[in-house]
Amino acid sequence: MNFLMDNKNNILSSSGNFSKGLSPLDFVVFDISEFNQKNEKNYSLEIKGKKYKVDVKKIKTSEELYHINISSEQKDFYKNIFKESILAIATHRMIFDEKGQPVDYIFTDINEEFKNLTGLNSDVLGKTVLETLPETEKFWIKKYGEIVKTGKSERFQNYSVAFDKWFDVFVFKNQKDFFTTVFRDITEEKKTRDDLAYTKDFLDNIISSMPSMLIGIDKDYKINEWNVKASEITGIPEEKALGKDLRDIIESHIIQNALTSCDKENSVVKMDRVKGLINGRNDLILEVLIYKLDENIKDGYVLILSDISERIHLQEMMIQNEKMISVGGLAAGMAHEINNPISGILQGVQNIKRRLSPDFAKNIAAAERFDIDLIKLNDFLDDRKIDLFLDGIEESGFRAANIISNMLQFSGKSAGERKQIILKELIERVYELASNEFDLSKKVDFKKIQVDMSKVEEDIMLHCVDTEIEQVLLNLVINAAHAVFSHRKDDGRINFITKRKDDKIFIEVEDNGPGIDETLKTRIFEPFFTTKEAGEGTGLGLSVSYFIIKEHHGGDIYVSTGEMEGTRFTIILPGGRKNGK
Amino acid sequence: MENKTRILIVDDDSIVRENLVAFLEDEDFLVDSVKDAEEGLKRIEDNSYDIAIVDMRLPGIDGSQFIIKTNEMSPNTKFIIHTGSTNFSLNQKLKDLGITKKELFMKPIRDMNTFVEEIKELIND
Ligand SMILES: Nc1ncnc2c1ncn2[C@@H]1O[C@H](COP(=O)(O)OP(=O)(O)OP(=O)(O)O)[C@@H](O)[C@H]1O
Ligand SMILES: [Mg+2]
């Protein structure tokens, strides 16, 4: 507030608006003689508990007229803030068009930081923003216009083309069309923040798309990281897993030692082929990596669990394959060499039998020459059981011949011809053969076994050596029937399932027998591996099947635990087409 | 007597050979047998055979060559292949001579009557 005063303390005129609750009358307490006494230009004055600054100027010495400027110290304080602020501050007046739309604004005051930040100077005062910075986006004018209209202050962040910078802006309305902007440059900050956000997103992405489970835990096993794969494998979603005790989800004793040595050695611990770690997922074989986190950052561990079942399965198959091929080569070679001696045995027996027969004309003639009674000779042979031994030789020869003919299948190629057949019909034939076979067998009653063929598709065609595939499937059903019957007598079940997937045909034979011990799973395909009693099985069924499927048909055969907890054999054959090719 | 079917057996396994000879002789065929293709070719030169039963894996000239040469020398002779070779399959040359799978006998033959039947069929052709 300014006013003129004479030396008798008369206020001659006053202008300006002072702080609230202060009227010029209050200043009568101000004694100008005091000024003369002190002869100071600046005072501090307390009026009604508030501090004011008094600036006195003698105008006309002759008349003892004084110009007195009284300002609230507080106001100065704000003025200083305005001036010295480390934030850019500017005041503006909004210009509206005749429709009341904000179109531009005038700079009415700017502070130092504003100048630093924008590179503008006081020349802008009185000018409009579009005059000064024509590329200013509509956004700013519109936004400020709204604030002026509504009187609601606002804080926001936005990019400005004019400065090629990001600003964090606080805007409030002063009076009428006036408003103040307080802002700072956040370009760097934002870049850092964006970079961080990007890095975090990127890492999150990696973690969630990892083909392995990634689990973070603290010292007390509380889960603090749980990626998508972890949810997928355990069936526990992230929001449920976080904060939970890991020991409720996995068999922690399996990795207890690893955690301890991880602690001691401060290094990564790797465990290969871990089974049964995750509750409810005993089917998985895992590779476990455990890292201890830097204690200064976060105390705890990161576990990476990779499902290597498939890899192990492939490895085992490869080993198996090599084993089978070398065994197969050996067996096929042997078979070849044995065929001649077996020919000798079988044909020799046939000749002996015929040449001893009392009905054969040539025998009768020869016997006469030697004066031998053929009937008596035959009684003798019978009495001395020579007939029986001959039958025995013949029977053994046949058996050996059977084994050999099976072993012959171990060769790389098949002797048979490929045909286009309907898979379902082939399976029905196998079923037929199997039930006949069991009619003869005493040990197993095939009729008591429930055979389900409802999952055999109607229209799958197969290009194969049908007799061989028949042999394979027959062996699988017979094996299944034996297994089922050894295990349970009444509710035995065998399921046939066929499927077609991407040009591949899947044939499954599944039973609810005792299953196959894990350690035997790779051995059952070996030639002559059998758990059946001597005379009941040669152990060639699966090895022959193996060669027929893998070598002759370029397919695959493997064993697993089926739906019914028994055994499931899966055959995969290439070239699946719909009926009619 | 003159009309008897003449058969030549070529097989290096003497037991197989002797058994076959005995069985076929009992069937009243005229049977000669040799242990290799070289000897077999000599016999072909001097005699005419209706049928040759030939093992494929032979020392020296193999069964397949023997058949081809025999066919040149004696085009009317028919062939039965009797082999223990698992990986044997008819090659084109043999097929061209009219040999089919029907004449392919894999050792061991469980019943030699199958030879007799095939021989009779071949002669009656
Ligand atoms: N469905 C099944 N359930 C349980 N064990 C099985 C099953 N199928 C096969 N096996 C096991 O695998 C072994 C080998 O089977 P494979 O068919 O090769 O021979 P085999 O049945 O014993 O004899 P062969 O088939 O020569 O008569 C069997 O003895 C049995 O121990
Ligand atoms: Mg079997």
Side-chain angles (χ1 to χ4, degrees), chain A residues 406 475-476 478-484 511 513-516 520 524-526 529-532 536-545 566-569:
Chain A
N406 271 326
N475 179 57
L476 291 184
I478 292 174
N479 282 350
H482 275 286
V484 158
D511 64 55
I516 298 175
L520 295 185
I524 54 169
F525 291 101
E526 279 172 20
F529 176 84
T530 181
T531 55
K532 289 173 190 165
E536 268 178 44
T538 54
L540 279 175
L542 285 175
S543 46
V544 168
S545 304
T567 305
R568 174 199 283 154
F569 280 92

Side-chain angles (χ1 to χ4, degrees), chain A residues 424-436:
Chain A
K424 189 171 189 205
E425 287 176 4
L426 187 137
I427 290 175
E428 280 163 353
R429 209 157 57 228
V430 167
Y431 174 72
E432 206 62 39
L433 285 169
S435 27
N436 288 338

Side-chain angles (χ1 to χ4, degrees), chain A residues 88 107 146 264 273 289 326 338 359 368 383 386 398 429 457 461 497 509 521 536 556 568 575:
Chain A
F107 293 97
E146 268 166 33
K264 266 193 217 139
R273 297 183 186 226
L289 281 171
S326 58
I338 292 171
D359 317 317
E368 262 170 25
D383 186 68
I386 290 172
F398 281 160
R429 209 157 57 228
E457 282 186 35
M461 296 289 286
I497 300 155
V509 181
K521 275 189 180 158
E536 268 178 44
D556 213 343
R568 174 199 283 154

Side-chain angles (χ1 to χ4, degrees), chain A residues 221 247 251-262 271 277 290 301:
Chain A
Y221 291 88
R247 288 169 294 192
E251 296 292 335
S252 58
H253 66 267
I254 295 177
I255 56 161
Q256 197 57 60
N257 284 342
L259 282 172
T260 317
S261 64
C262 195
M271 294 170 75
L277 181 63
I290 304 177
Y301 309 89

Side-chain angles (χ1 to χ4, degrees), chain A residues 255-397:
Chain A
I255 56 161
Q256 197 57 60
N257 284 342
L259 282 172
T260 317
S261 64
C262 195
D263 249 349
K264 266 193 217 139
E265 286 151 41
N266 243 327
S267 64
V268 185
V269 175
K270 183 177 167 183
M271 294 170 75
D272 206 17
R273 297 183 186 226
V274 179
K275 283 185 189 167
L277 181 63
I278 297 167
N279 297 343
R281 286 306 303 266
N282 286 335
D283 54 320
L284 296 182
I285 306 172
L286 298 173
E287 180 190 84
V288 180
L289 281 171
I290 304 177
Y291 303 81
K292 189 169 162 49
L293 291 174
D294 187 343
E295 278 163 44
N296 300 320
I297 299 170
K298 205 176 190 180
D299 214 359
Y301 309 89
V302 171
L303 283 72
I304 294 179
L305 314 180
S306 314
D307 178 6
I308 53 168
S309 323
E310 190 65 16
R311 198 176 80 203
I312 301 257
H313 179 64
L314 279 176
Q315 263 173 16
E316 278 172 0
M317 298 264 276
M318 263 169 63
I319 294 171
Q320 165 116 326
N321 209 10
E322 272 165 32
K323 189 168 78 183
M324 292 300 280
I325 283 173
S326 58
V327 168
L330 185 75
M334 258 171 61
H336 182 96
E337 290 311 319
I338 292 171
N339 273 335
N340 272 311
I342 291 177
S343 284
I345 293 170
L346 289 179
Q347 291 168 7
V349 171
Q350 195 178 7
N351 274 330
I352 292 170
K353 281 189 163 178
R354 183 153 91 170
R355 290 195 168 186
L356 287 173
S357 160
D359 317 317
F360 198 60
K362 289 197 171 172
N363 294 351
I364 296 167
E368 262 170 25
R369 272 193 281 136
F370 294 98
D371 201 15
I372 291 169
D373 184 341
L374 269 183
I375 307 284
K376 276 196 171 159
L377 177 65
N378 269 273
D379 288 344
F380 166 81
L381 294 175
D382 194 29
D383 186 68
R384 298 303 295 148
K385 296 205 169 133
I386 290 172
D387 284 355
L388 210 77
F389 299 141
L390 281 176
D391 284 347
I393 294 173
E394 189 174 43
E395 169 65 34
S396 301

Side-chain angles (χ1 to χ4, degrees), chain A residues 147-166:
Chain A
I147 291 164
V148 169
K149 272 189 192 162
T150 61
K152 271 193 202 145
S153 47
E154 206 175 308
R155 180 171 178 175
F156 62 91
Q157 299 184 341
N158 198 46
Y159 173 76
S160 161
V161 176
F163 299 107
D164 185 22
K165 279 178 175 152
W166 276 87

